[in-house]
Amino acid sequence: MAFTRLAVSPFFFEDPQDPQLPAGLPGAMAQATDTCSADQKALLATAYLEGTAWDPAAHARIQEMWKEIYECTNGRAFTMIAQPSKPLVTRVLPRGNWQDETGPVVEPTVPHFLPQAAKTSQNRLTRLDLARWLTSPDNPLTARVEVNRLWKLFFGAGLCGSVEDLGFQGEIPSHPELLDWLAVEFRESGWNVKHMVELMVLSSTYRQSSKLRQELREIDPNNHLLASQSPRRLDAEFVRDNALAIAGLIKLDAIVFATGFDAMTGALLSIDIRGRAGQTLQQRWAAGPRTYLGIAIAGFPNLFAITGPGSPSVLSNMIVSIEQHVDWIADCIAYLREHDRGGIEATVEAEDGWVAHVNEVGNATLYPLANSWYTGANIPGKPRIFMPYVGGVGVYRKKCDDVAANGYEGFTLTD
């Protein structure tokens, strides 16, 4: 007798009773295995493979087929979109106290002393309104800030010396008319950075000698008058590589960064971590990483991973996600102490369900089709599994909070 084990996640769909499964799959799941037709068995096998990636080679072939389908449709593919929701209420925080909700309610706007943004709807300003305001001809900031930064790259200092602050506390531009002209040129060229770079490096100002004349040393030691090229145009980080390049000791035909970095699993697999019956983590993850919430691993009691595979991790603000995991783990340990429990371990069922959900939301995007370090493609022999959780930080945090609120659902607690 043949058995089929299928993990179906209820977490992704808005209505768990209507999970939008492929046509024919619910009927096949409802039948006994020995009564299923060949087509139904194939459908079940495919769903199980896509949900668990238990056969890396077959799963990789399916991903290749999806890639071919994507290419045949001229690059058009289904993708996830964010559904609009009611904006949160934002208040002024009295003395910065985020727990004090007595401050007045404020809505998105721009500084009152600048030209105001036009609304595209009758409601509050949106991100589209902000984008249009940033590039509006009436906005004096965006173009000036950008051309000032470009000027610093080629001349060692910006026309406004405080590159990060063009406000009242910044320096007055040495050549305000030139800054204005460059800003207008940048905007009217269609925000063409290449045009501005060409304009600057072909100018007579840029092509001057960097040897400062003796009569200028006392009059203009900082070269505010632009009477010569600046001898110090490189930041400290670039000096070494520039010297090596000039000496012919470094070739810049191709630059590749961190191609061998084993993301998300490398640090853990470099440690000889062993679980029940002496099983190593290397053995447990031979077909790819499997976790519950990216925090725990079935068969490895009292082992916690921080921002591990199966969590938002590298697709989120890492510092904040690390803090969330540390807080969750600390609360979990406190819970175990309060209830006189000495051990905690993720169940196989909870781990399978979470892995299926991670694959489910990941396969709704183009991430798994790319040969990137997100899938381990940069490490020879590493199983091609899309490792981060792409379902959203908010959804993920709620799931973690619900697990804790339900007595650490999906975990086995031992004395």
Side-chain angles (χ1 to χ4, degrees), residues 127-399:
R127 288 183 293 179
L128 178 59
D129 297 325
L130 174 62
R132 288 175 173 169
W133 176 80
L134 286 173
T135 56
S136 168
D138 297 329
N139 187 345
L141 283 178
T142 308
R144 281 178 173 78
V145 169
E146 185 60 24
V147 296
N148 192 53
R149 290 179 176 178
L150 286 176
W151 189 272
K152 180 183 182 298
L153 290 176
F154 297 113
F155 294 91
L159 292 169
C160 175
S162 52
V163 176
E164 302 299 329
D165 188 354
L166 266 68
F168 286 124
Q169 296 183 358
E171 296 182 16
I172 298 175
S174 59
H175 297 70
E177 294 85 0
L178 176 59
L179 182 60
D180 288 346
W181 184 86
L182 289 171
V184 173
E185 180 70 18
F186 183 38
R187 189 188 67 214
E188 294 185 351
S189 69
W191 307 93
N192 190 331
V193 176
K194 183 177 180 180
H195 168 70
M196 298 307 298
V197 169
E198 183 179 8
L199 192 66
M200 291 180 187
V201 300
L202 293 181
S203 67
S204 58
T205 306
Y206 179 81
R207 291 182 290 171
Q208 293 181 109
S209 170
S210 60
K211 187 176 181 180
L212 187 62
R213 300 193 302 273
Q214 185 61 39
E215 62 269 23
L216 293 175
R217 292 183 183 277
E218 298 179 2
I219 301 174
D220 185 26
N222 295 319
N223 196 30
H224 288 310
L225 300 177
L226 301 175
S228 66
Q229 175 59 279
S230 172
R232 294 181 291 274
R233 281 168 282 167
L234 293 177
D235 290 333
E237 293 82 358
F238 300 136
V239 172
R240 174 181 175 274
D241 287 344
N242 187 61
L244 291 173
I246 293 174
L249 299 177
I250 183 173
K251 294 183 178 180
L252 301 177
D253 294 330
I255 301 178
V256 181
F257 298 101
T259 56
F261 178 64
D262 190 352
M264 303 190 69
T265 59
L268 291 172
L269 294 179
S270 295
I271 308 171
D272 187 19
I273 300 175
R274 296 177 180 267
R276 296 194 180 279
Q279 184 184 38
T280 66
L281 192 59
Q282 283 271 10
Q283 295 169 334
R284 183 74 173 83
W285 284 359
R290 300 178 66 81
T291 70
Y292 180 39
L293 303 177
I295 297 176
I297 305 164
F300 290 77
N302 292 351
L303 174 66
F304 296 102
I306 295 177
T307 61
S311 72
S313 185
V314 293
L315 296 181
S316 66
N317 184 327
M318 284 292 291
I319 302 301
V320 178
S321 289
I322 289 171
E323 290 176 346
Q324 185 246 338
H325 269 190
V326 170
D327 290 342
W328 192 93
I329 293 169
D331 291 343
C332 176
I333 294 174
Y335 178 91
L336 295 174
R337 287 174 176 170
E338 291 172 3
H339 292 79
D340 295 325
R341 297 301 181 95
I344 183 169
E345 179 183 349
T347 66
V348 174
E349 293 75 18
E351 183 182 78
D352 287 346
W354 184 251
V355 169
H357 175 51
V358 171
N359 291 333
E360 190 174 48
V361 295
N363 289 335
T365 72
L366 299 180
Y367 278 118
L369 303 181
N371 289 325
S372 71
W373 58 269
Y374 286 142
T375 62
N378 62 320
I379 304 298
K382 184 174 181 178
R384 300 290 182 86
I385 303 294
F386 180 63
M387 294 176 285
Y389 177 63
V390 77
V393 173
V395 174
Y396 174 80
R397 287 193 170 210
K398 185 177 186 304
K399 172 61 178 175

Side-chain angles (χ1 to χ4, degrees), residues 7-88:
V8 180
S9 168
F11 305 120
F12 175 61
F13 304 107
E14 293 184 2
D15 183 1
Q17 301 299 321
D18 182 22
Q20 306 167 22
L21 296 173
L25 184 57
M29 293 169 59
Q31 287 190 226
T33 307
D34 54 356
T35 62
C36 288
S37 65
D39 290 341
Q40 289 176 320
K41 291 180 179 179
L43 188 61
L44 289 169
T46 301
Y48 182 62
L49 174 62
E50 291 181 341
T52 63
W54 67 272
D55 185 339
H59 188 261
R61 177 57 187 148
I62 289 178
Q63 298 302 311
E64 287 294 326
M65 293 172 66
W66 276 114
K67 184 177 180 180
E68 292 173 6
I69 293 173
Y70 172 69
E71 292 174 349
C72 290
T73 56
N74 297 322
R76 294 188 298 271
F78 294 104
T79 187
M80 291 170 46
I81 61 172
Q83 296 294 330
S85 58
K86 185 178 180 180
L88 298 175

